[in-house]
Amino acid sequence: MKIICIGRNYTDHISELQNEKPEDPVIFLKPDTSILLKKQPFFIPDFSEEVHYEVEVLVKIKKVGKHIQEKFAHKYYDEIGLGIDFTARDLQQKLKEKGLPWEKAKAFDGAAVIGEKWLAKDSVADINMLNFSLENNGETVQKGNTEFMLWKIDELIAYVSQFFTLKIGDIIFTGTPAGVGKVSAEDRLTGFIEDKQIFSIQTK
């Protein structure tokens, strides 16, 4: 399986990092080795002094598709999840300044948290009006709603499938809202969709 990530999909997050608003979705990939193993803590890598959390709504692909039309995209997933795209921000900034790819800052071991709980799409009143949030040590640090995505989930599936064949089990990280911040050792990060806890992890 592959992990397809979307960058700069919320205007407030674009503003907080002083990035330009893209004309098309920004896409990058994470390998399966970036998935944080279940019930394991996240170990802050020694090559970064500023690893940030980025909470994101996830979509799990359920069938193979290529060149999917937006009007048919809803047929390619039936589960919604939540995760964290850990980012070595200091390393990413250096790479961006040199015009280099971000993988070292985004795709390192453990950089993808995938919540153990998945919600049936049919159990959600409106997938384009979905509240989600992240708590750090009991304090809410990120709050988002899929209403404010620049590109909605079905649009993303249609766009991504122009370039990559989507396969069963692939996961799309759909972008993060404002509020990203640095993680420290012994933080407890807990993610919610609406009022349902989806994951809780410890940092080391």
Side-chain angles (χ1 to χ4, degrees):
M1 57 86 74
K2 56 186 173 290
I3 301 169
I4 302 165
C5 302
I6 307 300
R8 304 180 189 176
N9 201 24
Y10 288 84
T11 302
D12 55 358
H13 176 59
I14 293 172
S15 298
E16 74 175 344
L17 294 186
Q18 299 180 331
N19 287 322
E20 292 183 7
K21 184 178 177 180
E23 294 183 3
D24 297 303
V26 175
I27 301 173
F28 60 96
L29 302 178
K30 290 178 183 271
D32 58 6
T33 50
S34 70
I35 297 172
L36 185 67
L37 298 178
K38 292 181 179 180
K39 300 181 180 178
Q40 294 297 310
F42 170 73
F43 288 92
I44 299 170
D46 57 11
F47 54 75
S48 176
E49 298 295 327
E50 192 179 2
V51 173
H52 282 193
Y53 50 75
E54 297 187 4
V55 71
E56 310 198 12
V57 171
L58 312 183
V59 179
K60 186 189 294 183
I61 300 300
K62 71 171 187 177
K63 66 178 186 176
V64 176
K66 176 74 172 173
H67 294 298
I68 300 165
Q69 294 181 51
E70 183 182 337
K71 64 182 179 181
F72 297 127
H74 67 279
K75 297 182 177 182
Y76 287 81
Y77 66 101
D78 54 19
E79 290 182 293
I80 300 296
L82 196 71
I84 295 176
D85 166 20
F86 279 120
T87 304
R89 190 72 67 203
D90 48 356
L91 180 55
Q92 184 193 33
Q93 188 59 39
K94 291 177 182 177
L95 293 168
K96 285 168 62 177
E97 289 171 358
K98 296 178 180 179
L100 297 173
W102 300 348
E103 275 73 12
K104 288 193 290 186
K106 289 273 196 181
F108 55 87
D109 290 357
V113 174
I114 297 173
E116 293 185 23
K117 295 181 181 178
W118 290 84
L119 303 180
K121 181 175 62 175
D122 293 343
S123 71
V124 176
D126 186 350
I127 202 168
N128 293 317
M129 194 75 71
L130 195 65
N131 290 303
F132 61 101
S133 61
L134 180 71
E135 291 183 357
N136 187 7
N137 301 322
E139 177 184 353
T140 299
V141 289
Q142 282 190 277
K143 291 179 68 175
N145 188 297
T146 53
E147 175 187 8
F148 300 111
M149 286 181 169
L150 295 178
W151 292 278
K152 302 295 194 288
I153 289 172
D154 288 356
E155 292 178 275
L156 292 174
I157 289 172
Y159 183 79
V160 167
S161 72
Q162 295 178 45
F163 305 95
F164 309 108
T165 297
L166 296 177
K167 301 180 74 174
I168 296 169
D170 286 352
I171 293 174
I172 300 177
F173 278 60
T174 61
T176 194
V180 302
K182 182 180 177 180
V183 295
S184 302
E186 306 307 325
D187 280 348
R188 168 65 62 174
L189 297 169
T190 307
F192 298 86
I193 294 179
E194 300 294 350
D195 59 352
K196 297 180 178 66
Q197 180 177 312
I198 306 299
F199 65 78
S200 185
I201 66 164
Q202 189 81 32
T203 63
K204 297 286 187 182

